[in-house]
């Protein structure tokens, strides 16, 4: 099929490259000319496993092209995906300005009536409004379908080809036919439901996962006080098939480009409907409190940060990405610096971005970061840190202390090496 994708960001580009590698004819559109030129030359603007190879193969086979001409693309394709960003505004509400710009351009494009597929995460009911706008601008019976994405950074392409489910919100259901054909090579349950239900599924899924993390984090607070190790509780809870082990790792909590903005946008939707989102507020508050509690723990272990030498291991919001959006490390670095610590950061992907944003040293090697340090603070559980030689770590540090923000280390092993250990949700040092 011939498809257009508006938005060459994380979701649009990963989706476009994936469809192209399935043999569909894909045109990716973006308003950023420089980005388009770099993509046409085979350079992706962010790192994602497999993306570079699949992009260069699709360019060679000419199954993908890049342009800034949305109206022309709309006239040439069978389906247009909308995959532009919907960031949070000050009050948490999703900012739909990019989506409206695309809808306006599609409506005025003169393209024969087609199907627009919304991949961007949008408040429930947005599909109805976009359909109205397209129909009023074009005076043609455009259809709008919702097809939320569940791609995780660091495994976006794997998630695309092996999804748990494909959700299509189509009212009427016949509007899902094009998507059924498009995804026919992918083996996964294909659920067609009313458009608003599909929009809700995306928010509810992300909020549920965020809630699972905040839940175990709150249990972790009680564990810490009562001498219980939260990781043992997670393990045992996760073996209950009704609960499941995923997203039960206690620690610094969630960040990234999706959970924070989607939780905030969902809270706004509740407020707009006059329903108190008590669970979601607690989910969000518990998550915010992680960073504060982690700093308190470190402060109490060190007796204050003034003149302390701190090695911060990990900065990206999770391993496998250089994405710093809403990463707990940002707040941690800021507070450490404000309170007079000397900070050296090691992150295998986000080091350069950190060096540009803060007055800190960076080190490529975790041991070099820990040289002469009073404490190592683990903020992101990259494998690189978990493989560090602990005897060597102890020898390098001025004061051997590891504060584990992700419950990623075995406390017994760390302590056996003569390194003091503290973590959120585990009995004290
Ligand atoms: C998420 C959703 O998983 C994806 O379906 C959606 O489309 C986009 O948002 P992503 O932002 O890439 O994907 O991150 P994810 O891997 O889900 O992790 C989210 C955050 O939760 C990370 O900050 C991670 O460190 C944290 N996390 C995850 C925990 O603190 N504990 C856990 O047990 C799991």
């Amino acid at each position: 099929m011939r498809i257009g994708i508006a938005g060459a960001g994380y979701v649009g580009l990963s989706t476009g490259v994936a469809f192209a590698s399935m043999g569909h004819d894909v045109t990716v559109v973006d308003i950023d000319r420089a980005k388009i030129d770099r993509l046409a030359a085979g350079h992706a603007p962010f790192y994602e496993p497999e993306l570079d190879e699949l992009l260069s193969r699709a360019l060679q086979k000419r199954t993908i092209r890049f342009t800034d001409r949305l109206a022309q693309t709309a006239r040439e394709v069978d389906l247009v995906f909308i995959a532009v960003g919907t960031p949070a505004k000050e009050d948490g509400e999703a900012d739909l300005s990019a989506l409206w710009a695309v809808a306006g351009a599609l409506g005025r494009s003169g393209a024969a009536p087609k199907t627009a597929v919304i991949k961007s995460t949008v408040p429930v009911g947005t599909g109805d409004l976009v359909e109205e706008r397209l129909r009023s601008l074009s005076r043609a019976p455009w259809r709008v379908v919702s097809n939320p994405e569940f791609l995780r950074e660091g495994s976006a392409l794997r998630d695309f080809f092996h999804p748990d489910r494909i959700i299509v919100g189509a009212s009427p259901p016949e509007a899902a036919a094009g998507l059924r054909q498009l995804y026919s090579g992918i083996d996964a349950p294909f659920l067609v439901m009313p458009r608003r239900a599909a929009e809700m599924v995306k928010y509810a899924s992300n909020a549920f996962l965020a809630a699972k993390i905040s839940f175990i984090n709150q249990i972790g607070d009680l564990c810490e006080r009562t001498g219980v190790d939260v990781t043992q509780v997670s393990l045992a809870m996760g073996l209950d098939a009704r609960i499941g082990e995923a997203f039960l790792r206690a620690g610094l909590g969630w960040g990234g480009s999706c959970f924070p903005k989607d939780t905030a946008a969902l809270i706004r939707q509740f407020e707009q409907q006059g329903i108190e989102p008590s669970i979601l507020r607690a989910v969000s508050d518990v998550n915010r409190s992680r960073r504060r509690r982690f700093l308190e723990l470190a402060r109490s272990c060190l007796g204050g940060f003034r003149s302390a030498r701190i090695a911060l291991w990990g900065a990206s919001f999770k391993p496998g990405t250089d994405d710093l959006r809403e990463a707990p490390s940002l707040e941690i670095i800021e507070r450490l610096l404000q309170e007079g610590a000397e900070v050296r950061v090691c992150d295998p992907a986000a080091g350069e971005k950190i060096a540009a944003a803060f007055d800190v040293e960076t080190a490529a090697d975790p041991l070099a970061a820990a040289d002469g340090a009073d404490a190592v603070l683990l903020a992101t559980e990259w494998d690189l840190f978990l493989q560090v030689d602990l005897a060597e770590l102890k020898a390098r540090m001025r004061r051997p202390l590891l504060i584990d923000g992700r419950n990623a280390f075995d406390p017994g092993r760390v302590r056996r090496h003569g390194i003091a250990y503290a973590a959120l949700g585990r009995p004290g040092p």
Side-chain angles (χ1 to χ4, degrees):
M1 288 178 84
R2 292 169 306 167
I3 62 170
I5 298 190
Y10 196 80
V11 172
L13 184 59
S14 306
T15 305
V17 165
F19 278 134
S21 71
M22 289 169 76
H24 296 298
D25 187 69
V26 178
T27 305
V28 179
V29 189
D30 202 285
I31 49 171
D32 182 343
R33 186 70 239 179
K35 191 193 247 183
I36 286 301
D37 290 343
R38 282 198 304 275
L39 280 164
H43 303 298
F46 51 85
Y47 172 73
E48 184 60 35
E50 294 177 69
L51 183 66
D52 288 350
E53 295 123 73
L54 291 183
L55 172 62
S56 68
R57 219 176 301 153
L59 282 166
Q60 260 166 25
K61 288 193 173 165
R62 298 179 193 278
T63 51
I64 199 162
R65 72 196 59 77
F66 297 92
T67 175
D68 57 0
R69 299 191 176 172
L70 182 56
Q72 185 187 334
T73 303
R75 290 190 294 270
E76 292 169 356
V77 298
D78 306 309
L79 280 179
V80 189
F81 280 84
I82 303 178
V84 290
T86 52
K89 290 197 268 194
E90 212 50 2
D91 62 357
E93 189 171 316
D95 178 350
L96 299 181
S97 48
L99 178 98
W100 289 123
V102 168
L106 292 179
R108 286 186 290 268
S109 65
K114 351 208 119 173
T115 303
V117 186
I118 302 183
K119 262 229 171 279
S120 308
T121 303
V122 291
V124 179
T126 303
D128 303 0
L129 302 175
V130 172
E131 193 168 86
E132 261 171 52
R133 173 75 67 92
L134 288 172
R135 289 181 177 194
S136 74
L137 286 172
S138 66
R139 298 213 179 77
W142 274 76
R143 278 176 163 174
V144 171
V145 169
S146 163
N147 175 218
E149 56 82 21
F150 302 98
L151 310 178
R152 285 166 299 178
E153 290 190 25
S155 59
L157 289 153
R158 196 167 0 112
D159 289 348
F160 182 95
F161 293 115
H162 305 284
D164 292 329
R165 74 294 206 201
I166 296 166
I167 304 297
V168 176
S171 314
E174 300 80 74
L179 282 181
R180 198 180 283 281
Q181 195 186 332
L182 195 64
Y183 282 109
S184 59
I186 292 182
D187 181 22
F190 188 92
L191 264 66
V192 180
M193 59 184 69
R195 193 165 49 209
R196 286 180 171 222
E199 290 168 341
M200 186 74 84
V201 168
K202 171 62 194 255
Y203 280 109
S205 301
N206 272 1
F208 185 81
L209 293 172
K212 221 176 153 188
I213 301 168
S214 285
F215 180 88
I216 199 63
N217 275 328
Q218 188 150 71
I219 295 289
D221 285 347
L222 187 59
C223 286
E224 219 177 296
R225 291 287 178 86
T226 50
V228 173
D229 182 336
V230 71
T231 65
Q232 290 176 350
V233 178
S234 296
L235 177 70
M237 281 174 69
L239 288 172
D240 183 329
R242 294 168 303 175
I243 297 175
E245 60 174 4
F247 286 74
L248 274 186
R249 176 172 280 196
L252 272 166
W254 39 273
S257 64
C258 286
F259 283 5
K261 95 172 161 67
D262 292 350
T263 312
L266 188 56
I267 287 176
R268 282 296 290 147
Q269 291 172 68
F270 271 84
E271 288 170 347
Q272 282 159 356
Q273 297 298 332
I275 309 169
E276 174 53 31
S278 45
I279 292 182
L280 295 173
R281 281 200 212 286
V283 165
S284 194
D285 290 348
V286 168
N287 195 56
R288 287 248 142 249
S289 72
R290 295 304 85 198
R291 302 157 190 203
R292 222 170 36 239
R293 292 224 48 244
F294 184 66
L295 284 160
E296 274 165 19
L297 180 65
R299 211 182 276 116
S300 75
C301 290
L302 284 162
F305 294 134
R306 183 140 303 281
S307 307
R309 286 196 202 158
I310 307 282
L312 186 76
W313 282 1
S316 54
F317 82 95
K318 66 172 186 179
T321 174
D322 65 351
D323 199 336
L324 287 172
R325 283 177 286 179
E326 300 278 344
S329 67
L330 302 180
E331 204 174 311
I332 292 168
I333 296 174
E334 210 171 283
R335 290 295 319 171
L336 288 172
L337 292 176
Q338 272 170 11
E339 293 182 36
E342 212 178 283
V343 183
R344 208 178 289 158
V345 181
C346 174
D347 188 284
E352 273 179 35
K353 287 191 190 172
I354 287 289
F358 294 99
D359 183 18
V360 294
E361 276 182 55
T362 52
D365 168 53
L367 285 170
D371 238 344
D374 296 303
V376 166
L377 270 50
L378 179 88
T380 318
E381 69 279 28
W382 288 91
D383 279 346
L384 173 77
F385 303 132
L386 308 184
Q387 288 154 5
V388 159
D389 178 339
L390 292 177
E392 178 70 16
L393 178 65
K394 172 164 195 264
R396 295 266 198 122
M397 293 182 72
R398 184 158 76 180
R399 175 178 169 184
L401 167 65
L402 172 61
I403 305 178
D404 185 352
R406 297 291 177 181
N407 286 305
F409 282 90
D410 170 0
R413 191 171 79 90
V414 175
R415 290 183 181 128
R416 272 195 299 280
H417 281 87
I419 300 172
Y421 178 90
L424 291 174
R426 279 173 157 172

